[in-house]
Amino acid sequence: MKYSFKPTDSYEEAKKSGYRYWHADFVVKADKDVPAESMALAGYYNEWCQYNNDNWVALTSSATIKAGTEIRLVQGMGNGAISVNYEELCQFGNDGIGFLCGAADLTGENAGTTLTVELRIYETTADPSTGVGDKNVETGEYITIGKYSYTFPSLKVTNDTELKEAIENGVTSIDLADGIYHLPDAAKGKTLTISGSKNAVIEHVNQGEDGMNYSLEGSTVTFNGVTIKTTSGTYRGFARSTAIVYNNCNFVGTYTLGAGSHTFNDCHFNLKNNYVWTWGGVKVVFDGCTFEDEKGVGKAILVHNTVATEVTVKDCTFIATTGAKTWDGIDVAAVSIDPNGAHTAKVTFEGTNTVDSAFNGKYQIKYAEDTALVTVVG
């Protein structure tokens, strides 16, 4: 990323300006924490760089830079001993090169991080007409004369090996090329954003006796636009996650929710004559989702929970041409509620939910004896 500033005042105009002795500096801040040694902030300014073999001067941090921390680039590079005043800015900023600020993501850990760069001029105690006062002492007043923002792009991976290496190297925002992927155990305990098209398919791999996958144990993950495909069976999903958000994702096959929260925004489900099982999900939201089995079978959401759970269904569409029955012959509704043991379930319907007549209504409490455990709103 490079931000170039070219002054509108000429050198002669700057010498007559009331800002003549004000200090010019780039001020950089990030919207997320920047890990130690992961980013280089750099500057190029004629008078510095002629003493540095005409190279950029770079600045890195040996400690994590917290989100929102403002870093003055010139001041930081010179440890407070270097300043560039407005007169100099206009002199060398008009030399065909300009006054430049740059940044580089050295490790890939800052994908998705937005840098905001402001060019500020800081008032000094020196009188612009007489020079009386100290040109090196600032009053604390400043004016912002330029501003630019840049977001580091996600790292693009093309296969399982690259995906594993990216996660192991601390990359948190990953873009999947079209293809088939399997999440590695390296993803455990991480905060990740994984994006791609519907042709970027994440295949579920059975890891335990129950068929669940543990690669996202303790993880907080956002999936954007990808397809998640499972094998046949009942317990097929990612176990023991902290929180997962699915945006505009495509699901093929049964999907069972592990621990934590799960939010589905504008997702499409082809469940292949099975359900989305809420199972371990503590808080589950379906917002703007479509449930449409490839053979028209009327199965969708099964609230069958191993913990107390809250499920919200908002503005969803349930499409079916053929009704379905449970294993014991009960006609299936769009949301089938079957608490497991003594665990309570609260189901809230919001907005407009459209349910085809092949379903046995919007919801059903499967067994009358569980009514006391269930709360339905809307």
Side-chain angles (χ1 to χ4, degrees):
M1 180 275 288
K2 181 177 75 172
Y3 173 41
S4 176
F5 174 79
K6 182 176 174 58
T8 55
D9 283 349
S10 68
Y11 175 48
E12 293 300 322
E13 289 171 328
K15 288 195 295 183
K16 300 174 184 178
S17 168
Y19 303 116
R20 179 179 185 181
Y21 297 123
W22 287 41
H23 292 169
D25 210 340
F26 286 112
V27 179
V28 184
K29 64 181 178 180
D31 67 338
K32 299 176 183 176
D33 289 354
V34 176
E37 309 291 352
S38 69
M39 183 183 293
L41 300 178
Y44 189 98
Y45 173 59
N46 189 304
E47 193 165 85
W48 303 339
C49 296
Q50 63 182 321
Y51 300 112
N52 191 39
N53 296 318
D54 206 35
N55 292 320
W56 287 63
V57 179
L59 176 70
T60 59
S61 174
S62 59
T64 297
I65 302 172
K66 293 295 184 181
T69 300
E70 292 191 345
I71 299 171
R72 284 185 59 172
L73 190 60
V74 176
Q75 189 179 74
M77 289 176 176
N79 292 318
I82 294 177
S83 62
V84 177
N85 63 39
Y86 185 71
E87 178 183 331
E88 294 170 323
L89 173 65
C90 292
Q91 178 184 5
F92 294 105
N94 282 304
D95 61 3
I97 297 174
F99 189 47
L100 309 181
C101 171
D105 184 7
L106 301 177
T107 64
E109 295 173 81
N110 298 296
T113 296
T114 298
L115 289 186
T116 300
V117 182
E118 292 186 7
L119 179 58
R120 297 177 183 173
I121 52 175
Y122 291 83
E123 184 182 40
T124 68
T125 59
D127 185 279
S129 300
T130 64
V132 175
D134 196 329
K135 300 174 186 176
N136 295 316
V137 177
E138 297 177 359
T139 67
E141 298 296 321
Y142 70 83
I143 298 172
T144 299
I145 59 175
K147 189 173 183 179
Y148 176 75
S149 293
Y150 176 80
T151 301
F152 286 103
S154 298
L155 178 69
K156 190 91 167 183
V157 302
T158 61
N159 55 53
D160 279 352
T161 300
E162 292 178 357
L163 176 60
K164 181 175 181 288
E165 289 176 350
I167 294 172
E168 288 177 339
N169 290 331
V171 177
T172 59
S173 184
I174 298 171
D175 190 11
L176 304 180
D178 290 354
I180 297 175
Y181 298 86
H182 307 89
L183 295 182
D185 286 344
K188 288 183 178 180
K190 301 295 177 60
T191 297
L192 301 170
T193 298
I194 299 176
S195 306
S197 75
K198 295 296 187 294
N199 294 321
V201 180
I202 297 173
E203 286 188 340
H204 173 275
V205 176
N206 301 345
Q207 291 184 316
E209 292 182 4
D210 57 3
M212 296 291 281
N213 180 282
Y214 294 87
S215 59
L216 298 184
E217 183 173 356
S219 300
T220 299
V221 182
T222 299
F223 291 107
N224 294 316
V226 299
T227 291
I228 297 176
K229 184 178 180 181
T230 67
T231 57
S232 60
T234 299
Y235 303 106
R236 301 292 184 264
F238 298 105
R240 301 174 184 167
S241 58
T242 298
I244 305 181
V245 176
Y246 312 82
N247 296 316
N248 193 31
C249 291
N250 186 45
F251 291 84
V252 180
T254 308
Y255 198 63
T256 302
L257 309 185
S261 66
H262 297 261
T263 303
F264 301 87
N265 297 312
D266 301 310
C267 294
H268 183 276
F269 295 87
N270 170 17
L271 297 168
K272 294 196 168 185
N273 195 24
N274 217 308
Y275 303 95
V276 179
W277 295 55
T278 64
W279 201 237
V282 175
K283 186 173 183 180
V284 183
V285 177
F286 299 95
D287 188 349
C289 296
T290 300
F291 299 83
E292 184 178 17
D293 183 272
E294 62 185 20
K295 294 184 178 180
V297 177
K299 286 185 177 180
I301 300 170
L302 175 60
V303 181
H304 186 60
N305 45 311
T306 59
V307 293
T309 188
E310 294 185 10
V311 179
T312 300
V313 181
K314 179 182 178 183
D315 295 329
C316 290
T317 302
F318 299 84
I319 299 171
T321 56
T322 304
K325 294 184 180 294
T326 64
W327 66 271
D328 51 355
I330 299 173
D331 292 328
V332 175
V335 180
S336 185
I337 306 171
D338 179 15
N340 183 38
H343 301 296
T344 59
K346 180 180 180 180
V347 179
T348 301
F349 293 93
E350 297 180 355
T352 301
N353 293 288
T354 304
V355 180
D356 279 356
S357 59
F359 286 97
N360 184 27
K362 185 167 66 174
Y363 75 92
Q364 67 183 164
I365 301 172
K366 188 174 178 183
Y367 301 114
E369 58 267 28
D370 291 329
T371 301
L373 297 172
V374 177
T375 302
V376 177
V377 179

